[in-house]
Amino acid sequence: MKRARQKVVVENEAPQTSQKSKKQRTCLYGSLFGESDLHASVDWGSLPHHVILRVFQFLPLVDRARASSVCRRWNEVFHIPDLWRRFEFELSQPATSYLKSTHPDLIQQIIKRHADHLQYVSFKVDSSTESAEAACDILSQLVNCSIKTLGLISTAKPSFMNVSKAHFASALTVVFVNSKSLSSIKVDDTPLDDPSLKVLVANNSDTLKLLKMSSCPHVSPAGILCVADQCHGLKELALNYYILSDELLLALSSEKHVDLEHLRIDVVSENPGQVEFHTIKKQSWDALVKHSPKVNIVMYFFLYEEEFDAFFREETPVTHLYFGRAVSKAMLGRIGMNCPRLIELVVCANGLQPLDDELIQIAERCKNLTAMGLGECEVTCRGFIEFVKMCGGRLTQLSIMEEVLIPDNDYNLDRLHLEVSKHLGRMWFPDMMPTW
Amino acid sequence: LGALRWHFLLQSLEDLQKNLCQLGSCLLVIQGEYERVLRDHIQKWNITQVTLDAEMEPFYKEMEANIRRLGEELGFEVLSLVGHSLYDTKRILDLNGGTPPLTYKRFLHILSLLGDPEVPVRNLTAEDFQRCRPPDPGLAECYRVPLPVDLEIPLESLSPWRGGETEGLQRLEQHLTDQGWVTSFTKPRTIPNSLLPSTTGLSPYFSTGCLSVRTFFYRLSNIYAQAKHHSLPPVSLQGQLLWREFFYTVASATPNFTKMAGNPICLQINWYEDAERLHKWKTAQTGFPWIDAIMTQLRQEGWIHHLARHAVACFLTRGDLWISWEEGMKVFEELLLDADYSINAGNWMWLSASAFFHQYTRIFCPVRFGKRTDPEGQYIRKYLPVLKNFPSKYIYEPWTASE
């Protein structure tokens, strides 16, 4: 199951910043009007706009909104475009959501007065279709905008998938056509389709730098190829494996194309054994790495153990590997053989056979490995220590669940953590789950 | 509280009553709101001292404060001592700069600075009661331990777990010998039998106060000391006590610990509201035999192995149903014999990845995790008799079997 994103809501910053702001106001006041007036009655409404603007920039929206009702000048400042460049619309249904929603009146105000000013926009929606539809409605009204970054974020279920394709496409089209300078787009888990991508490309090919579209089932290999062919400034791309093609990699490696920095590929199967996976030719990967030697190639696998056969039969330049479900022992063996650029490896689960040999081979051949996470598998203590010894201090992140480690005749867990700490050059402990 | 928990509590009180009688004293159980009870009885019985365990949960901290105030008003002494935990949690907080350690390793480090906990006090003998007035037989009848019928719960508990210090001490002895520590120090790799009702499990006895955690701690320490010639067992053998202490410490210093809203250590997550799915999880009707077997054991017996708790907690929250951990916590509070304010909430937050983060989050698969633990599915067969004769190959995922 694909993991949903979470965001921490930072609260209660207001009190500190308000105090800071108050102090600033008093100091500025002192220097503007002279010492003797400090004790006279204060006319806060006469502060210059730029001063109030500076103060407002420290305040969260809720406090700014309150401040805007104080007097006309403060209200004017509240509406200065600079304060409306960045906005995150939070859309939830109160009956079913734990989290708060952006007030509808505020949304109306923004559309009426600030649509032109918006440049960095995101929509956080809960799992209800109504919220996703509301997001699309707002997008449809941003006609005079010149948006640079757009993010559609489903905080729970992928609710955008329940919006009709037509509604979604027309909302996106409004933004794609009118913005003409979009540089970053995050539309994972949406009904994005090929025609919409064409519109995106037709209007923003010079400026597009980042496109994240994992789990967009209506996009075809041809659709994304169109983007790679035309958007030569594209540096970051996230997509699903089924639309990755040799042609795409070659297009991203063409002379006109900038260096690719980050390529994320999600490999997903819905039912065991049902999906066959096409292979990417080694030459295509080679071309990509030759063109962009520093590129991070990140692959997230959500497959069952029997489905890995097609992967890593030849050298593959992947740098970050995450196995979200299980991974077969054979696959881990092939990773050791064929992934020399590997930097980070995370294994969620494996079987009951110890993975000592596979780990040692990875230590030997993946000389760039600096981070490793192991959960729900088996490794003997001696095998693990051997692995750590071979990697040495280059392992800046090493995370293993305590119960993965099998004590043997040479080592138990207490001795192990001392040995490992010695080889890593820092204090290290395995991860523990609480004994409930 | 569910019926099983009431039974356990009543059994524990009966046991205490019996043990006190043998020493020449007795137990008087007064029912009612504590302030009312104290006001009524202080003068009637000439009470000069009220003692209680030093409290850590908000409700009981407030109760202790109120009792102290009453003490000043009505003229009795209040004595509270640390008994429910290994250490005085305030000292742990002080050593960590006033805040609770949020990682287990940091916590262990702080404990190492504190040294060993205080030794348990010696056992009571009849001599201790000789200076006390013998109990009035009339009173003993009036204030006896309530019976199930008084509380309107079913007459018998079907749980194999019986409350009381006597039972607890027996289990303690068995726990220490059965672990086979004196002979070998290897951790069992596959543990199908551990899922079954444990004859050596101790958690409900700690949580109700039938057993002293310090007693257990020192019994374990003695075993380590004797086994010097062997390599030391992993710290996790004492882990049950230390994790308990960890959660008590965090809970004592964190407002709104049992809620997401207003809880400073808890991620604010947009959980789904889904009463139907929550009900199915609670009543063992999810369709995943591993999950349903665990929830069945929980309801029938009041205890499940800690790995089973991980499995169902993960399933309800971040793993599958995406329902709030607060809902799961409430169900555990009703059904688990050892449910405890701090430990229950703390573990639920941990399993739902709401707090206490790891580098990489762990999700337990409702099919694979059970298969690893008990490949033949014996646990499932026992608690879901409808699947008793199902082939092991499909018992964790019956939908994959052909018609």
Side-chain angles (χ1 to χ4, degrees):
Chain A
M1 178 174 153
K2 187 155 182 250
R3 290 174 212 184
R5 285 159 284 270
Q6 295 167 357
K7 270 196 101 171
V8 179
V9 173
V10 178
E11 294 181 306
N12 299 324
E13 278 195 354
Q16 282 175 309
T17 53
S18 303
Q19 275 178 345
K20 193 159 63 165
S21 315
K22 279 196 195 131
K23 275 207 194 109
Q24 281 189 320
R25 282 181 225 164
T26 330
C27 294
L28 283 164
Y29 187 76
S31 63
L32 285 170
F33 289 87
E35 290 291 319
S36 58
D37 285 286
L38 264 177
H39 304 287
S41 69
V42 171
D43 183 6
W44 295 108
S46 296
L47 278 175
H49 281 80
H50 68 274
V51 169
I52 305 167
L53 173 65
R54 192 84 180 98
V55 169
F56 276 19
Q57 278 165 341
F58 285 102
L59 296 180
L61 179 60
V62 133
D63 291 343
R64 256 187 276 149
R66 286 206 194 104
S68 74
S69 340
V70 166
C71 63
R72 182 179 300 169
R73 180 170 292 197
W74 286 22
N75 191 278
E76 282 164 8
V77 174
F78 180 65
H79 288 291
I80 288 177
D82 284 15
L83 291 171
W84 298 98
R85 300 257 175 256
R86 205 173 280 276
F87 198 81
E88 179 161 82
F89 292 91
E90 294 184 76
L91 303 165
S92 325
Q93 300 309 303
T96 52
S97 175
Y98 285 83
L99 301 184
K100 291 209 172 76
S101 207
T102 310
H103 201 284
D105 290 346
L106 177 59
I107 296 178
Q108 280 317 303
Q109 262 214 357
I110 293 173
I111 294 174
K112 220 168 70 172
R113 293 179 71 163
H114 298 292
D116 306 2
H117 310 143
L118 290 172
Q119 286 180 344
Y120 311 98
V121 182
S122 57
F123 292 83
K124 257 170 67 170
V125 303
D126 67 359
S127 52
S128 69
T129 313
E130 290 91 333
S131 304
E133 280 171 353
C136 293
D137 288 337
I138 297 169
L139 276 171
S140 305
Q141 297 179 69
L142 299 181
V143 179
N144 291 320
C145 61
S146 53
I147 295 181
K148 296 202 168 90
T149 74
L150 174 66
L152 300 181
I153 304 161
S154 313
T155 60
K157 287 193 186 107
S159 39
F160 282 105
M161 292 308 300
N162 297 327
V163 176
S164 82
K165 260 180 77 177
H167 187 189
F168 185 77
S170 76
L172 272 195
T173 303
V174 168
V175 176
F176 288 174
V177 167
N178 288 289
S179 291
K180 297 208 187 314
S181 59
L182 278 166
S183 84
S184 161
I185 301 176
K186 295 186 187 162
V187 284
D188 309 277
D189 294 296
T190 63
L192 179 75
D193 58 11
D194 289 0
S196 302
L197 283 177
K198 275 218 174 78
V199 172
L200 170 67
V201 165
N203 291 281
N204 300 278
S205 58
D206 292 341
T207 50
L208 192 64
K209 295 196 176 62
L210 181 151
L211 175 60
K212 300 217 167 190
M213 34 167 264
S214 302
S215 303
C216 293
H218 303 308
V219 177
S220 78
I224 187 62
L225 186 57
C226 168
V227 176
D229 275 336
Q230 309 274 351
C231 302
H232 300 141
L234 192 64
K235 290 190 177 158
E236 288 190 45
L237 178 60
L239 41 63
N240 279 35
Y241 186 77
Y242 76 90
I243 59 172
L244 186 71
S245 63
D246 295 298
E247 292 81 4
L248 179 63
L249 293 180
L250 292 172
L252 292 169
S253 319
S254 79
E255 263 184 48
K256 289 180 281 181
H257 214 283
V258 301
D259 277 21
L260 193 66
E261 286 171 13
H262 194 96
L263 175 64
R264 170 174 160 159
I265 306 160
D266 282 20
V267 190
V268 183
S269 84
E270 291 309 307
N271 299 297
Q274 259 188 17
V275 183
E276 297 251 316
F277 295 98
H278 65 286
T279 47
I280 300 291
K281 297 200 187 79
K282 184 170 181 305
Q283 299 96 288
S284 313
W285 285 120
D286 289 347
L288 180 66
V289 177
K290 183 148 174 246
H291 180 79
S292 310
K294 297 216 184 77
V295 64
N296 281 329
I297 300 173
V298 179
M299 293 185 80
Y300 277 78
F301 283 87
F302 298 98
L303 301 182
Y304 293 96
E305 286 195 34
E306 323 81 64
E307 295 170 322
F308 284 103
D309 283 352
F311 295 97
F312 301 156
R313 297 232 157 244
E314 295 180 297
E315 196 177 290
T316 314
V318 63
T319 53
H320 298 73
L321 272 177
Y322 305 97
F323 293 98
R325 247 187 218 140
V327 60
S328 65
K329 201 158 144 52
M331 175 71 158
L332 288 173
R334 292 201 298 279
I335 289 169
M337 293 288 301
N338 293 321
C339 301
R341 290 178 90 231
L342 191 65
I343 295 173
E344 182 169 4
L345 173 64
V346 178
V347 172
C348 200
N350 182 258
L352 293 167
Q353 298 300 314
L355 296 174
D356 295 10
D357 293 338
E358 287 75 13
L359 283 186
I360 287 169
Q361 183 170 74
I362 288 172
E364 248 169 24
R365 298 178 57 116
C366 302
K367 291 290 183 205
N368 296 308
L369 188 75
T370 58
M372 162 92 103
L374 291 175
E376 222 180 299
C377 44
E378 310 273 306
V379 182
T380 68
C381 287
R382 143 197 284 263
F384 186 67
I385 289 173
E386 179 76 27
F387 166 77
V388 177
K389 196 155 132 193
M390 291 171 73
C391 292
R394 64 179 155 97
L395 274 181
T396 53
Q397 279 176 49
L398 180 61
S399 190
I400 181 165
M401 300 300 304
E402 194 210 10
E403 64 256 31
V404 166
L405 295 161
I406 311 171
D408 48 40
N409 291 325
D410 302 311
Y411 296 100
N412 67 359
L413 288 172
D414 273 349
R415 254 198 84 191
L416 176 130
H417 102 82
L418 290 168
E419 277 292 308
V420 170
S421 302
K422 188 174 81 188
H423 294 306
L424 291 178
R426 62 178 191 272
M427 209 43 166
W428 178 91
F429 294 97
D431 284 349
M432 300 194 143
M433 291 292 288
T435 307
W436 194 326
Chain B
L1 283 194
L4 290 185
R5 289 194 67 188
W6 274 118
H7 276 293
F8 194 87
L9 189 61
L10 294 180
Q11 288 158 4
S12 305
L13 291 174
E14 289 276 2
D15 189 65
L16 181 60
Q17 159 76 296
K18 207 167 61 167
N19 292 339
L20 283 173
C21 277
Q22 283 176 358
L23 294 174
S25 178
C26 83
L27 176 72
L28 302 176
V29 178
I30 312 168
Q31 296 185 50
E33 191 267 321
Y34 68 83
E35 179 163 342
R36 183 82 264 137
V37 164
L38 283 173
R39 282 191 186 281
D40 286 346
H41 290 78
I42 294 295
Q43 274 199 320
K44 208 158 69 162
W45 292 349
N46 223 343
I47 294 173
T48 53
Q49 185 187 73
V50 171
T51 60
L52 38 111
D53 272 345
E55 293 297 345
M56 288 161 286
E57 294 176 31
F59 174 84
Y60 293 107
K61 280 210 268 231
E62 198 185 307
M63 178 181 87
E64 183 175 337
N66 287 339
I67 292 179
R68 285 191 183 277
R69 236 190 323 222
L70 261 185
E72 284 187 16
E73 184 194 322
L74 299 176
F76 61 82
E77 190 195 340
V78 178
L79 186 62
S80 83
L81 297 165
V82 173
H84 199 54
S85 53
L86 289 172
Y87 297 90
D88 181 352
T89 51
K90 289 195 207 68
R91 289 179 63 206
I92 300 174
L93 292 173
D94 286 341
L95 273 177
N96 200 43
T99 57
L102 289 177
T103 67
Y104 190 56
K105 285 308 160 190
R106 173 87 194 144
F107 179 74
L108 290 183
H109 167 71
I110 301 284
L111 290 191
S112 70
L113 301 175
L114 281 174
D116 281 341
E118 285 187 26
V119 262
V121 294
R122 60 168 179 79
N123 289 332
L124 288 173
T125 61
E127 272 85 46
D128 293 306
F129 289 100
Q130 274 178 359
R131 281 171 43 223
C132 301
R133 210 173 44 204
D136 178 350
L139 272 185
E141 182 45 45
C142 185
Y143 293 103
R144 60 170 171 70
V145 176
L147 295 170
V149 66
D150 300 331
L151 297 172
E152 292 169 12
I153 54 175
L155 285 180
E156 286 295 319
S157 164
L158 295 172
S159 172
W161 298 74
R162 296 205 59 76
E165 186 187 15
T166 313
E167 173 76 16
L169 286 171
Q170 266 172 27
R171 280 167 169 269
L172 179 66
E173 292 309 319
Q174 228 178 334
H175 179 93
L176 293 174
T177 46
D178 270 9
Q179 291 293 322
W181 295 356
V182 182
T183 50
S184 82
F185 285 82
T186 54
K187 207 151 100 166
R189 299 311 298 171
T190 52
I191 41 167
N193 287 325
S194 308
L195 295 171
L196 299 175
S198 165
T199 51
T200 55
L202 299 170
S203 53
Y205 301 90
F206 293 133
S207 71
T208 47
C210 293
L211 270 189
S212 156
V213 284
R214 296 194 333 230
T215 300
F216 185 44
F217 182 91
Y218 276 97
R219 292 296 299 275
L220 287 175
S221 298
N222 288 339
I223 291 184
Y224 295 168
Q226 281 167 28
K228 269 282 159 60
H229 55 288
H230 284 289
S231 47
L232 283 175
V235 171
S236 55
L237 284 175
Q238 240 177 358
Q240 183 173 33
L241 290 180
L242 300 176
W243 277 111
R244 186 175 175 274
E245 204 78 4
F246 172 82
F247 286 118
Y248 277 147
T249 310
V250 185
S252 72
T254 306
N256 299 309
F257 190 69
T258 57
K259 297 201 255 292
M260 177 173 80
N263 184 338
I265 66 166
C266 184
L267 263 193
Q268 306 295 308
I269 296 171
N270 215 341
W271 302 108
Y272 303 160
E273 295 236 13
D274 194 330
E276 191 190 328
R277 290 225 168 104
L278 172 62
H279 181 75
K280 286 202 174 142
W281 174 82
K282 183 176 174 181
T283 53
Q285 295 179 67
T286 65
F288 286 91
W290 170 236
I291 303 294
D292 291 342
I294 295 171
M295 295 306 284
T296 304
Q297 184 188 23
L298 173 60
R299 178 172 295 278
Q300 284 177 2
E301 298 176 6
W303 179 91
I304 48 179
H305 188 273
H306 86 258
L307 290 179
R309 300 180 198 200
H310 289 337
V312 296
C314 181
F315 185 87
L316 181 72
T317 58
R318 257 183 73 86
D320 292 84
L321 297 185
W322 203 256
I323 290 175
S324 170
W325 58 269
E326 292 180 61
E327 299 299 335
M329 183 188 74
K330 287 178 200 150
V331 171
F332 271 28
E333 202 173 295
E334 184 191 331
L335 300 175
L336 254 192
L337 290 176
D338 57 37
D340 181 292
Y341 173 91
S342 317
I343 302 173
N344 202 10
N347 274 292
W348 272 99
M349 279 193 275
W350 195 302
L351 264 302
S352 62
S354 299
F356 313 112
F357 305 109
H358 296 293
Q359 187 69 41
Y360 305 109
T361 316
R362 178 166 178 188
I363 306 281
F364 296 83
C365 174
V367 170
R368 204 189 44 244
F369 184 56
K371 250 196 228 182
R372 250 176 91 87
T373 314
D374 176 12
E376 293 309 309
Q378 288 168 16
Y379 177 77
I380 293 183
R381 291 175 213 288
K382 178 176 158 121
Y383 289 99
L384 297 179
V386 63
L387 288 175
K388 203 162 57 153
N389 298 315
F390 222 80
S392 304
K393 185 161 178 217
Y394 301 112
I395 198 167
Y396 284 95
E397 33 196 352
W399 55 88
T400 56
S402 57
E403 291 302 299

